[in-house]
């Protein structure tokens, strides 16, 4: 919600305007958000008597019935737009499909859309809400580690443009975010690992206590889904809860004074200097956590070469990435990509590199004076070091798949299927709904085509 204050002062040649907008939103930790005995979510929709939800298809298949029972129990009509958003489909077409459903639903001004899913879904649906009537409310229920501890913290919403990560977007705060870590029970291990990278990011630059806990419990945190599996010990669950709460709190403290990124020296941008371009470079994109972990590991090597990180700290960071199965290198992370990514980020950061690096571990400094020669020398050293690590520093489950950050149909990226680029699957773009145009599609995809227009195409 917002509260505006403004003044208009007459000047010699015109007027001077100053406006201040109060941004206010809440986070609620709530295990069992769809438990009928927990009315907190239902209370948000009591006024409207209904709810339009934008929901990842995988999450719907796991929790759709439970969610429907919850809204039925509270006497609320529920309409669900199911979506399939991979990195390549984090696009304007996908955003427009959500807009179509909002229009068909007849969303009322101030009525909040409910967005349920990982960071990709909350990013795209949040941007759709920011654009719809210039400001439509939404409520977030993130369901992945990245969604819970990273994407849920920021008010940034966005889509990709070409090979540029989050090139189009807005700053649009949800009215409420429910943090239910029980969703992690059903999360594939690769996705847990993916989100683990974001916790390394914030802890290595801002909160040493959290880094120490990640280091101590690394493998157990991943295999027990941050203490939410039935076989998790009390110690792991306790450590996980402290890590999650502290990680979110530290990110909020860093982000809140700079929600609109007026200041461009951002601690939480560690790992986000070269990764925005590198992440989408492979034909099958890297998972976000793996892309930023490559950036962070390389940045740590650069910091070590400068004497900002001791050899012991440097090895500790690299060892944690390796133990977590996160990527520290990739064959396409080369001098050419490094140069292109540097040029791109300089434009984003107003002509300065502003590369965040740990100095010392648990604190952060920003580098602006790194030459191309120094970058390339650090890259050569980094790649030489990677030869000593398992898989030469490449990660486990490093690329998007059908779990939450990307979908495939018959081994083809779903965005190609949905846009009619796979012969015999979708017959192109026609008027009306899906009748007669789902030959060869799996039942799950037929279902999503029938509920919400996929990628903006009214098949």
């Amino acid at each position: 919600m917002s509260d505006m204050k403004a003044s208009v002062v007459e000047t010699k040649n015109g007027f001077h305007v100053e406006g201040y907008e109060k941004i206010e939103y809440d986070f609620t930790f709530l295990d069992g958000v769809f438990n009928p005995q927990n009315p907190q979510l239902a209370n948000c929709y009591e006024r409207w008597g209904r709810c339009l939800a934008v929901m990842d298809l995988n999450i719907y298949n796991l929790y759709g019935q439970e969610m429907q029972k919850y809204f039925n129990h509270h006497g609320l009509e529920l309409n669900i737009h199911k979506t399939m958003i991979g990195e390549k489909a984090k696009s304007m077409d996908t955003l427009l499909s959500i807009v179509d459903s909002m229009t068909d639903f007849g969303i009322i001004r101030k009525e909040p859309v409910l967005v349920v899913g990982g960071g990709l879904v909350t990013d795209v649906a949040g941007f759709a809400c920011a654009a719809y009537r210039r400001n439509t409310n939404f409520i977030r229920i993130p369901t992945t580690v990245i969604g819970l501890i990273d994407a849920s913290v920021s008010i940034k919403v966005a889509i990709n443009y070409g090979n540029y990560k989050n090139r189009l977007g807005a700053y649009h705060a949800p009215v409420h975010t429910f943090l239910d870590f029980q969703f992690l029970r059903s999360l594939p291990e690769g996705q847990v690992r993916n989100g683990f990278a974001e916790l390394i990011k914030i802890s290595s630059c801002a909160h040493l206590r959290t880094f120490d806990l990640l280091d101590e419990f690394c493998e157990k945190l991943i295999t027990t889904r941050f203490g939410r599996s039935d076989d998790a010990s009390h110690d792991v669950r306790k450590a996980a809860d402290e890590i999650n709460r502290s990680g979110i709190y530290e990110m909020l403290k860093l982000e809140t004074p700079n929600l609109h990124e007026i200041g461009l020296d951002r601690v939480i941008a560690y790992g986000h200097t070269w990764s925005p371009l590198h992440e989408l470079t492979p034909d099958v994109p890297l998972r976000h956590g793996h892309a930023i972990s490559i950036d962070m590991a390389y940045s740590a090597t650069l910091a070590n070469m400068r004497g900002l990180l001791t050899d012991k700290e440097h090895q500790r960071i690299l060892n944690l990435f390796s133990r977590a199965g996160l990527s520290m290198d990739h064959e396409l992370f080369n001098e050419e990509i490094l140069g292109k990514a540097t040029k791109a980020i300089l434009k984003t950061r107003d002509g300065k590199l502003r590369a965040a690096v740990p100095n010392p571990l648990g604190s952060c400094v920003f580098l602006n004076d790194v030459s191309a020669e120094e970058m390339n020398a650090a890259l050569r050293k980094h790649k030489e070091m990677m030869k000593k690590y398992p898989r030469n520093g490449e990660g486990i489950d490093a690329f998007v798949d059908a779990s939450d950050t990307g979908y495939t149909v018959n081994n083809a990226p779903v965005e190609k299927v949905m846009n009619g680029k796979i012969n015999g699957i979708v017959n192109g773009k026609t008027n009306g709904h899906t009748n007669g145009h789902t030959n060869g599609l799996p039942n799950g995809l037929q279902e999503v085509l029938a509920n919400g227009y996929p990628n903006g195409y009214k098949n």
Side-chain angles (χ1 to χ4, degrees):
M1 303 297 290
S2 61
D3 180 25
M4 283 75 71
K5 296 180 180 179
S7 63
V8 181
V9 178
E10 196 169 3
T11 66
K12 180 179 179 181
N13 297 316
F15 305 95
H16 175 73
V17 177
E18 288 187 15
Y20 302 89
E21 182 178 4
K22 181 181 179 182
I23 301 174
E24 187 175 9
Y25 53 105
D26 293 306
F27 293 82
T28 298
F29 288 90
L30 180 63
D31 279 2
V33 66
F34 296 140
N35 183 335
Q37 302 308 310
N38 292 330
Q40 291 91 329
L41 176 62
N43 291 342
C44 296
Y45 290 93
E46 183 178 10
R47 170 187 171 187
W48 312 101
R50 63 176 192 167
C51 171
L52 171 64
V54 177
M55 195 171 190
D56 176 84
L57 180 61
N58 276 336
I59 300 301
Y60 173 80
N61 290 335
L62 289 170
Y63 299 102
Q65 290 185 357
E66 180 182 347
M67 184 176 175
Q68 186 67 63
K69 289 178 181 177
Y70 176 86
F71 279 87
N72 289 345
H73 175 84
H74 290 282
L76 298 169
E77 176 190 346
L78 177 64
N79 188 295
I80 301 175
H81 171 106
K82 309 178 195 76
T83 188
M84 305 170 76
I85 302 177
E87 279 292 353
K88 294 286 188 180
K90 191 181 181 183
S91 64
M92 183 60 73
D93 284 342
T94 306
L95 180 147
L96 291 176
S97 75
I98 296 170
V99 168
D100 282 340
S101 286
M102 292 168 70
T103 298
D104 292 345
F105 184 78
I107 203 81
I108 300 171
R109 196 69 175 257
K110 303 297 184 182
E111 182 180 10
V113 175
L114 179 62
V115 183
V116 186
L120 288 169
V121 174
T122 57
D123 268 4
V124 178
F127 190 21
C129 290
Y132 200 82
R133 294 197 181 98
R134 300 186 184 91
N135 186 359
T136 294
N137 289 334
F138 73 111
I139 292 171
R140 281 190 298 211
I141 301 179
T143 58
T144 64
V145 180
I146 282 185
L148 285 158
I149 57 91
D150 182 70
S152 69
V153 172
S154 171
I155 69 168
K156 295 184 296 182
V157 291
I159 59 174
N160 298 336
Y161 176 73
N163 277 338
Y164 294 100
K165 178 84 171 175
N166 296 331
R167 181 52 58 93
L168 304 177
Y171 300 98
H172 187 53
V175 292
H176 206 111
T177 298
F178 289 96
L179 300 170
D180 183 354
F181 283 86
Q182 285 193 354
F183 284 114
L184 301 187
R185 292 172 62 90
S186 57
L187 198 66
E189 188 170 299
Q191 281 295 342
V192 181
R193 185 178 290 111
N194 188 35
F196 198 91
E198 294 286 0
L199 287 164
I200 297 178
K201 173 194 75 175
I202 191 63
S203 63
S204 58
C205 277
H207 203 249
L208 186 57
R209 164 65 179 170
T210 298
F211 188 91
D212 289 341
L213 289 172
L214 292 172
D215 199 8
E216 180 180 356
F217 292 97
C218 174
E219 293 85 354
K220 292 180 181 179
L221 288 167
I222 293 171
T223 58
T224 66
R225 279 49 174 182
F226 277 79
R228 298 294 164 165
S229 66
D230 292 334
D231 60 347
S233 69
H234 172 75
D235 288 346
V236 173
R237 173 65 180 269
K238 182 179 178 182
D241 287 349
E242 181 180 344
I243 288 167
N244 294 331
R245 193 174 190 95
S246 295
I248 293 170
Y249 189 35
E250 289 303 316
M251 290 187 70
L252 282 170
K253 288 191 292 184
L254 289 166
E255 282 286 88
T256 299
N258 191 32
L259 286 172
H260 290 88
E261 294 185 5
I262 295 170
L264 299 178
D265 289 340
R266 302 172 62 243
V267 173
I268 68 169
Y270 178 42
H272 293 70
T273 299
W274 296 283
S275 64
L277 180 64
H278 173 57
E279 181 171 340
L280 303 183
T281 298
D283 290 337
V284 178
L286 286 162
R287 281 184 162 137
H288 180 66
H290 286 265
I292 67 168
S293 66
I294 291 172
D295 189 317
M296 285 190 281
Y298 164 73
S299 297
T301 299
L302 177 62
N304 175 249
M305 286 180 61
R306 285 204 163 195
L308 300 173
L309 274 180
T310 65
D311 290 344
K312 182 178 180 180
E313 289 174 320
H314 184 210
Q315 288 296 329
R316 193 178 177 201
I317 290 176
L318 297 185
N319 288 342
L320 182 55
F321 281 125
S322 182
R323 288 169 55 206
L326 287 163
S327 301
M328 295 188 287
D329 193 22
H330 185 266
E331 62 180 355
L332 295 181
F333 189 60
N334 53 37
E335 292 185 9
E336 179 185 2
I337 291 297
L338 198 62
K340 289 181 178 179
T342 300
K343 290 179 181 178
I345 204 66
L346 287 172
K347 295 176 182 177
T348 298
R349 295 177 178 172
D350 199 27
K352 291 185 177 182
L353 186 63
R354 306 178 196 272
V357 297
N359 171 234
L361 192 60
S363 300
C364 177
V365 294
F366 301 93
L367 305 181
N368 291 314
D369 58 343
V370 187
S371 67
E373 291 76 13
E374 185 180 6
M375 287 184 199
N376 292 337
L379 182 63
R380 290 191 295 270
K381 177 181 178 180
H382 186 70
K383 286 185 174 292
E384 190 64 29
M385 293 183 66
M386 291 301 101
K387 295 177 182 179
K388 301 176 183 178
Y389 286 88
R391 305 172 306 279
N392 292 317
E394 295 196 3
I396 301 170
D397 300 323
F399 299 93
V400 299
D401 62 16
S403 61
D404 184 56
T405 56
Y407 283 88
T408 58
V409 175
N410 297 335
N411 294 320
V414 70
E415 54 272 7
K416 290 185 179 180
V417 177
M418 304 294 267
N419 286 300
K421 295 179 181 178
I422 304 298
N423 292 333
I425 295 183
V426 178
N427 296 325
K429 185 176 170 185
T430 62
N431 294 327
H433 289 276
T434 60
N435 295 336
H437 297 286
T438 58
N439 294 334
L441 290 173
N443 290 335
L445 194 52
Q446 291 184 32
E447 189 175 358
V448 75
L449 285 168
N451 188 342
Y453 303 122
N455 295 340
Y457 286 80
K458 299 184 181 181
N459 293 298

